[in-house]
Amino acid sequence: MTSKKIIAVFGATGSQGGSVARSLLESKKFAVRAVTRNVTQPNALVLQELGAEVVKGDLNDKSLVEAALKDAYGVFLVTNYWEHHSKEEEVCQGKLVADVSKRLGLKHVVFSGLENVKRLTGGKLAVDHFDGKGEVEEYFWSIGVPMTSIHLAAYFENFLTLWKPKKASDGDYYTLALPMGDIPLDGISVADIGAVISRIFDSPEEFLGKAVGLSAEALTVQQYADVLSKILGKDIQDAKVTLEAYEKLGFPEVEEMANMFRFYQMKPFRDVKLTHRLNPEVKSFSQFVSENKEALMGI
Ligand code: NAP
C-alpha cells in the first residue's frame, strides 16, 4: 500500500490525461490512479508499467466513478466531447464527477474546462464543446468543490491532423485554412500540459478556486505558416479564409468549428507567462514542428 496521496486521472489513456498521468508519476509526489474503460488496452498497460494503479471507470457509470474516486485526494478530469458530440452528455459526465467529489470530500479537482461561450455572449454564439465544459465548471463552483479549471489553448497537435496544410490546386504551395484573420491564435502541445498540471496539484494554495488559461504562445496564421515553411522547406501560406467562406466548406460540424473560431477571434485569455512559469520546458510551435517534422513532411 502506498502512503502517498492518490490522484485519479480520467482520460489517462488519451492525450491530456496521458500527459498528466506521466508527469505526476515522474514527480513521484502523488500516487496515480489511471481510470479507463478498458484496463487491458496498450496505453493502460504502459501506465501500469510506469507505476500507476489502473482501474476500470466510466464517466457514464455512477458506481464506477465512485469506486475510481474512493480514498483519492484529487482528480484530473477531462471529458471528451468528440466521442459522442453531445453537450448534454458531457455536462452529465462532468456533474457526476462534481457530485461524487463533493460527497467523498476530495481536496483538489483539476478540471479541463473551457468558457461557456453561450453565456458569455448572451446567447449570440453557441460552441457546444466549450459551453458544456463551461457549464460543468460553473456547477463545480456552485456546489463548492475545491477545484481549479484549466482552459487549454488549441493543441499544436491539431496541425498533424485537422489543421494539416493542404496542397493548393493552382501551384506548388500549401495553405492553412484557419479563419483567424490577423488575430493571434493561442496554441500548446498537449504533451506539455502534464507538467503544468502537476505543478497546479503541488500548489493548491495558489490555484484552488481559479480558472487558468494555458498557452505556449499565440501566433497569427501567417506566423504559423512561416514556421512550417521554414522548418519543412515547403511554401506554406495563410489561405486567408474568411469565416463565411470557411462555413461553406461543408465538412461535418463546420458550424461548431466556425463558431469556435469566432470565439477565438474574441481573444479568450490564455496565460503564456504562467504556462512558462509552471512548465519552463513548454515547447514553442517551432520546437513542436521540428520534433514532428517527419509526420508533417507527409503532407
Ligand atoms: P483523447 O486523446 O481522444 O482521449 C480521450 C480520453 O477520454 C480517453 O483516455 C478515454 O479513455 C477517455 N474517455 C472517453 N469517454 C470516457 C468515459 N465515458 N469514461 C471514462 N473515460 C472516457 O482526448 P483528449 O484530447 O485528451 O481530450 C479531449 C477533449 O479535449 C475534448 O473534449 C476537447 O474538446 C478538449 N480540447 C481539445 C483541444 C484541441 O485543440 N484539440 C483543446 C482544448 C480542449 P478510455 O477510452 O481509455 O476509457
Side-chain angles (χ1 to χ4, degrees):
M1 277 294 282
T2 176
S3 56
K4 288 181 190 167
K5 293 174 181 166
I6 299 167
I7 294 184
V9 179
F10 282 93
T13 58
S15 304
Q16 290 192 34
S19 174
V20 172
R22 281 164 196 274
S23 292
L24 288 171
L25 286 164
E26 271 165 32
S27 89
K28 299 191 182 351
K29 291 184 182 148
F30 294 97
V32 172
R33 183 180 286 163
V35 187
T36 171
R37 289 164 297 180
N38 174 5
V39 296
T40 59
Q41 65 174 293
N43 285 355
L45 297 177
V46 169
L47 288 173
Q48 200 163 34
E49 199 62 28
L50 292 172
E53 172 196 6
V54 175
V55 302
K56 187 173 169 64
D58 186 333
L59 288 164
N60 297 320
D61 182 322
K62 190 173 165 198
S63 58
L64 286 178
V65 169
E66 278 170 346
L69 298 190
K70 191 168 178 290
D71 301 325
Y73 160 85
V75 59
F76 172 75
L77 173 64
V78 55
T79 49
N80 187 10
Y81 173 88
W82 301 109
E83 179 155 327
H84 42 70
H85 305 257
S86 158
K87 177 172 126 177
E88 289 68 32
E89 185 163 340
E90 189 165 36
V91 170
C92 205
Q93 293 178 339
K95 285 186 172 178
L96 173 60
V97 175
D99 287 336
V100 175
S101 301
K102 171 90 179 168
R103 191 154 9 94
L104 298 182
L106 265 72
K107 300 288 185 290
H108 198 171
V109 176
V110 177
F111 171 53
S112 185
L114 281 170
E115 290 86 352
N116 183 344
V117 178
K118 196 167 179 182
R119 186 181 56 73
L120 289 175
T121 59
K124 288 199 187 90
L125 197 58
V127 188
D128 280 3
H129 72 287
F130 277 56
D131 297 345
K133 294 178 181 71
E135 277 184 35
V136 171
E137 183 178 307
E138 288 154 13
Y139 185 73
F140 267 111
W141 303 135
S142 75
I143 65 168
V145 173
M147 190 269 277
T148 307
S149 186
I150 56 151
H151 294 173
L152 279 188
Y155 301 172
F156 287 154
E157 282 78 359
N158 294 339
F159 286 93
L160 303 172
T161 55
L162 295 172
W163 297 355
K164 250 187 175 179
K166 294 219 164 50
K167 179 101 176 69
S169 51
D170 60 348
D172 191 17
Y173 66 100
Y174 298 78
T175 58
L176 285 182
L178 306 176
M180 286 297 293
D182 293 327
I183 299 168
L185 172 70
D186 279 284
I188 190 166
S189 167
V190 66
D192 288 337
I193 71 158
V196 176
I197 287 154
S198 175
R199 287 286 304 279
I200 290 176
F201 275 119
D202 287 345
S203 317
E205 64 297 338
E206 182 180 356
F207 293 107
L208 277 177
K210 289 191 184 154
V212 293
L214 301 178
S215 165
E217 61 179 335
L219 302 179
T220 62
V221 179
Q222 186 58 57
Q223 288 171 324
Y224 280 113
D226 289 345
V227 170
L228 287 161
S229 299
K230 188 166 168 216
I231 297 171
L232 303 182
K234 299 191 183 202
D235 180 5
I236 299 168
Q237 302 176 12
D238 176 3
K240 296 190 190 301
V241 64
T242 62
L243 277 158
E244 293 68 30
Y246 183 82
E247 268 170 336
K248 289 189 187 125
L249 293 177
F251 58 81
E253 289 181 286
V254 67
E255 194 61 33
E256 171 81 6
M257 297 315 276
N259 284 347
M260 176 186 77
F261 282 111
R262 283 196 172 87
F263 181 62
Y264 280 151
Q265 288 196 6
M266 294 160 70
K267 298 203 232 174
F269 183 59
R270 304 288 180 257
D271 196 335
V272 173
K273 215 169 136 195
L274 174 72
T275 307
H276 282 258
R277 173 161 70 83
L278 296 180
N279 179 2
E281 287 169 18
V282 69
K283 284 184 283 292
S284 63
F285 185 60
S286 176
Q287 286 170 300
F288 172 81
V289 175
S290 299
E291 281 182 16
N292 291 280
K293 195 170 168 182
E294 212 173 307
L296 282 156
M297 283 305 275
I299 57 177

